[in-house]
Amino acid sequence: MIDGSWLILRVAGLVLAFQAAGAAIFVVLFGRRLTRSTSVIQRVGLRAALGALAVLVAQALFEPLHLAGDVSGLADAALLRLFLGSSAAAALLVRLAGIACVAWGLRRCTPRSQPLAVIGALATLSSFVLTGHTTVHPQRPLLASLLLLHLTVVAFWFGSLWPLRQLIALEAPAQAARTLGAFSALALWLVPVVALAGAGMAALLLPDVAALAQPYGLLLLGKLALFALLMGLAALNRLRLTPALARGAAAAPAHLRRSIALEYALICAVLALTALMTGSFSPEDAARAADASPRLG
């Protein structure tokens, strides 16, 4: 019960934080191209940021319970001190501050407040570098750089999807197609970075191919399979559905919105696997299990 609730909070925190950070970046990059959907997209990001703040506070309160395994953790002063002095607490504090900046920047959303939203988004994503498996690795500087690059692109991609669905519904088809085309042109260069950075981290964290047969490695393979599906959807959107929208095909908006919704759901699944991987397993466990497994030959 405690572990399940803790995992749900981790997943919700990831989804909402990435949605808020990505929406902030999307508004700054593409907001000037829009006319009818700007305020709606800002509200999407703001609500995600406010939801993330609530979930992160709940997550911080829940950490001592997770450490203790029951509700006695809330009254255990030693566990509270242990958590407050941990890298996890520092990461949550930075994340809360970053999300608060995103919320303030999106609430006002003026040319002067938009940089604050972007700074908040980058602070939010940087918080994930402060804790986790990469912090204890000998190649920490390289891993931290790869992780931050990986997270920034994923957040931008994920956080842009719901705004894209909104602008398809609210903007004129020609305007929506131009914005989608601009987004796709940028994503064409950025999305491969997700794979390259992820592959680089896996090569550094996993000791050998045998570790892929362990829980951490299997979850990593699951993420890779979902990423392959995402690439297929992204190609469909870019090569068929967006051109159909530009031509004024009557069914194109509905088809494109459904495809983007599926893309959104797949990334939510990737984030859920990520929360499970980072919260319950580690590359070190995979390495030890791989070393203990009998080898043939």
Side-chain angles (χ1 to χ4, degrees):
M1 178 67 176
I2 295 291
D3 288 345
S5 300
W6 178 75
L7 181 60
I8 289 171
L9 285 172
R10 284 177 62 85
V11 174
L14 274 177
V15 169
L16 291 169
F18 274 48
Q19 176 63 78
I25 297 171
F26 180 88
V27 167
V28 170
L29 291 179
F30 298 103
R32 294 180 181 177
R33 295 174 174 268
L34 309 176
T35 55
R36 304 174 189 170
S37 59
T38 306
S39 61
V40 174
I41 290 170
Q42 289 168 7
R43 285 198 296 273
V44 167
L46 177 59
R47 288 170 181 169
L50 295 176
L53 288 173
V55 169
L56 290 172
V57 170
Q59 190 176 337
L61 294 173
F62 214 85
E63 285 293 334
L65 277 71
H66 176 67
L67 291 172
D70 55 47
V71 294
S72 66
L74 283 177
D76 192 324
L79 278 180
L80 287 172
R81 286 194 298 270
L82 178 64
F83 167 63
L84 292 175
S86 68
S87 61
L92 281 173
L93 183 61
V94 172
R95 204 168 304 156
L96 280 165
I99 291 293
C101 290
V102 170
W104 182 256
L106 287 177
R107 179 179 178 274
R108 299 184 64 84
C109 210
T110 64
R112 300 180 71 176
S113 68
Q114 285 183 354
L116 179 64
V118 174
I119 291 170
L122 295 177
T124 299
L125 299 170
S126 297
S127 70
F128 292 98
V129 180
L130 300 178
T131 188
H133 311 311
T134 63
T135 60
V136 295
H137 196 277
Q139 298 291 333
R140 172 166 166 67
L142 177 56
L143 275 169
S145 300
L146 289 172
L147 178 59
L148 183 57
L149 182 62
H150 182 80
L151 294 178
T152 302
V153 177
V154 170
F156 168 64
W157 182 6
F158 177 67
S160 298
L161 292 176
W162 211 256
L164 289 173
R165 289 190 81 249
Q166 296 298 320
L167 70 89
I168 291 168
L170 298 175
E171 300 287 344
Q175 179 66 28
R178 284 193 294 269
T179 305
L180 281 162
F183 173 81
S184 295
L186 181 58
L188 186 65
W189 293 97
L190 291 180
V191 170
V193 172
V194 175
L196 293 174
M201 288 188 292
L204 290 169
L205 289 171
L206 294 177
D208 53 37
V209 177
L212 291 173
Q214 304 306 319
Y216 186 91
L218 291 173
L219 289 170
L220 186 61
L221 291 176
K223 288 177 62 176
L224 182 61
L226 290 173
F227 182 77
L229 289 174
L230 284 166
M231 288 294 91
L233 277 176
L236 174 67
N237 294 344
R238 176 179 173 81
L239 299 176
R240 292 190 60 183
L241 298 183
T242 299
L245 181 68
R247 292 194 303 270
H255 290 163
L256 194 50
R257 281 170 57 84
R258 281 197 295 269
S259 179
I260 291 174
L262 180 55
E263 201 172 337
Y264 190 91
L266 287 173
I267 299 183
C268 284
V270 170
L271 293 176
L273 289 180
T274 300
L276 180 60
M277 281 177 62
T278 57
S280 302
F281 303 99
S282 73
E284 292 79 15
D285 293 337
R288 286 191 290 269
D291 290 340
S293 298
R295 287 178 169 79
L296 299 177

